[in-house]
Amino acid sequence: MIIVPEKEIAGLMTRADAYNAVEQVFASMSSGRAYNFPVIREAIGHADALYGFKSGFDRDGLALGLKSGGYWPGNEANGLTNHQSTVFLFDADTGKCRAIVGGNLLTALRTAAASAVSINHLARKDASVLGMIGAGHQSVFQLRAAVEQRSFDKIIGWNYHPEMLQRLAAVAAELGIPFEAVSLAQLGAEADVIISITSAFAPSLLDIHVRPGTHIACMGTDTKGKQELEAAVLARATVFTDEVAQAVTIGEAQHAIAAGLITQDAIHEMGAVVNGTHPGRTSPDEITVFDGTGVGLQDLAVASAVVDLAVAKGVATTVEF
Ligand code: NAD
């Protein structure tokens, strides 16, 4: 069995590797070759923790396994990340445990890769202004992956806690792209691509803010009750997602569905665009929304890729099991 500890991931996996793994597994999901198993998530009644599993099987990549993890709110006080995850991969032919892989950085990389896939396939080719809503842990990964998809000449940002925007400004400076903190109205009026990655339970971006032609990667809503966009935005947009079943239950689409503004069959799989079975954006004025809910197959895809890289580079630790 191979072990790839958390501390090795940064030296092994590039954003390009994560992008390729996630794009490929979205395609496999849409062609029916990969599927996610039902998600388990429980409040365990200890340390205020939320704990669960995301799992699945990809017959194309032969990735079988699960990501186990959750949220321990007291961790930060002890110098640990609140979100903790570990990926377990199993041999699809024998069921033997193949690998244990640290899942914290991989989660950020695969989440950023998902929104990057959506920007690459759905944003207007001439998109030049990137709008960021949210400035937490995930936001900088999102920003770095997004700027590789289009020639952005300006980044603008809004955050509920404005002091956190420094984090985005620092990355923008490193990337050599001007950054400006703006109101939500200005963000909607100027941005061609918007990434929303907050833990909000009420919409920040309203329908009135969003202009025609915008692509929105809505990445923060991954739980029942969370919400980042006014539901009317989805009614005006062409909506794409990683997995329709998750979008309507724990994704951003849950609210538009509950309000009767859209139906489930109006939500398209991102993988269908990758496969060419859905045309994606069909006009420069179309609003596109990617409802990125985060699926277990993304975790398995990046973890499999990292195991292959660790073996190829001779840094994998192998133990008898
Ligand atoms: P974080 O705690 O580091 O940051 C939270 C962000 O939300 C901050 O920008 C904060 O200012 C903002 N925020 C908090 N309350 C708000 C409110 N009431 N209104 C608007 N904004 C508010 O979290 P993070 O690690 O950056 O994660 C952000 C979100 O992304 C979380 O909801 C997390 O569950 C989700 N997430 C999704 C995926 C996926 O695959 N889709 C993967 C990882 C994380």
Side-chain angles (χ1 to χ4, degrees):
M1 185 183 73
I2 292 165
I3 298 175
V4 187
E6 186 65 46
K7 66 179 169 53
E8 299 291 348
I9 307 291
L12 288 169
M13 177 138 246
T14 64
R15 278 189 295 280
D17 293 324
Y19 180 99
N20 291 336
V22 168
E23 185 181 59
Q24 180 59 53
V25 84
F26 281 172
S28 298
M29 282 166 62
S30 187
S31 65
R33 304 273 309 159
Y35 66 109
N36 293 290
F37 305 158
V39 175
I40 307 280
R41 198 161 167 88
E42 297 282 331
I44 60 170
H46 178 78
D48 284 333
L50 284 174
Y51 176 69
F53 310 102
K54 283 187 169 181
S55 55
F57 179 45
D58 173 8
R59 271 182 283 162
D60 286 331
L62 291 186
L64 172 69
L66 59 93
K67 177 168 85 170
S68 129
Y71 186 74
W72 273 259
N75 274 4
E76 214 158 283
N78 300 314
L80 291 171
T81 312
N82 287 355
H83 287 275
Q84 287 294 330
S85 36
T86 310
V87 182
F88 297 81
L89 296 173
F90 297 87
D91 187 313
D93 295 318
T94 63
K96 276 191 67 148
C97 187
R98 179 176 170 237
I100 300 180
V101 184
N104 293 349
L105 177 58
L106 281 185
T107 298
L109 290 172
R110 65 78 148 147
T111 306
S115 84
V117 167
S118 84
I119 294 167
N120 184 25
H121 287 277
L122 295 173
R124 291 191 338 263
K125 296 281 180 238
D126 64 352
S128 62
V129 178
L130 173 63
M132 297 292 306
I133 299 177
H137 177 71
Q138 300 292 332
S139 65
V140 289
F141 294 92
Q142 294 283 323
L143 176 54
R144 288 183 193 279
V147 297
E148 290 169 350
Q149 307 309 318
R150 291 291 184 271
S151 306
F152 293 112
D153 52 31
K154 188 176 177 189
I155 299 164
I156 53 182
W158 177 89
N159 194 48
Y160 186 73
H161 304 98
E163 68 284 359
M164 291 170 74
L165 285 170
Q166 259 318 311
R167 191 182 235 158
L168 294 179
V171 174
E174 195 192 300
L175 296 166
I177 305 174
F179 177 83
E180 190 186 347
V182 296
S183 66
L184 279 166
Q186 191 180 342
L187 189 136
E190 285 188 21
D192 303 305
V193 171
I194 298 174
I195 296 176
S196 188
I197 182 91
T198 73
S199 52
F201 280 79
S204 303
L205 195 69
L206 304 181
D207 192 36
I208 197 173
H209 296 143
V210 180
R211 64 180 177 141
T214 309
H215 172 64
I216 306 169
C218 188
M219 305 304 297
T221 300
D222 57 359
T223 302
K224 195 168 167 52
K226 281 189 186 171
Q227 186 171 11
E228 303 191 281
L229 309 181
E230 189 177 15
V233 176
L234 279 81
R236 202 152 60 96
T238 311
V239 181
F240 300 85
T241 187
D242 38 26
E243 189 187 81
V244 175
Q246 281 204 174
V248 301
T249 50
I250 59 168
E252 195 62 37
Q254 64 181 291
H255 306 287
I257 291 275
L261 295 175
I262 62 169
T263 56
Q264 187 163 323
D265 32 309
I267 305 173
H268 311 283
E269 288 176 320
M270 194 61 239
V273 184
V274 176
N275 282 337
T277 53
H278 188 288
R281 168 180 294 278
T282 53
S283 102
D285 286 338
E286 189 174 0
I287 296 167
T288 49
V289 169
F290 174 61
D291 183 0
T293 64
V295 293
L297 283 168
Q298 278 170 265
D299 299 301
L300 304 187
V302 288
S304 280
V306 105
V307 168
D308 291 345
L309 287 164
V311 170
K313 292 190 175 174
V315 298
T317 303
T318 306
V319 293
E320 278 306 319
F321 184 68

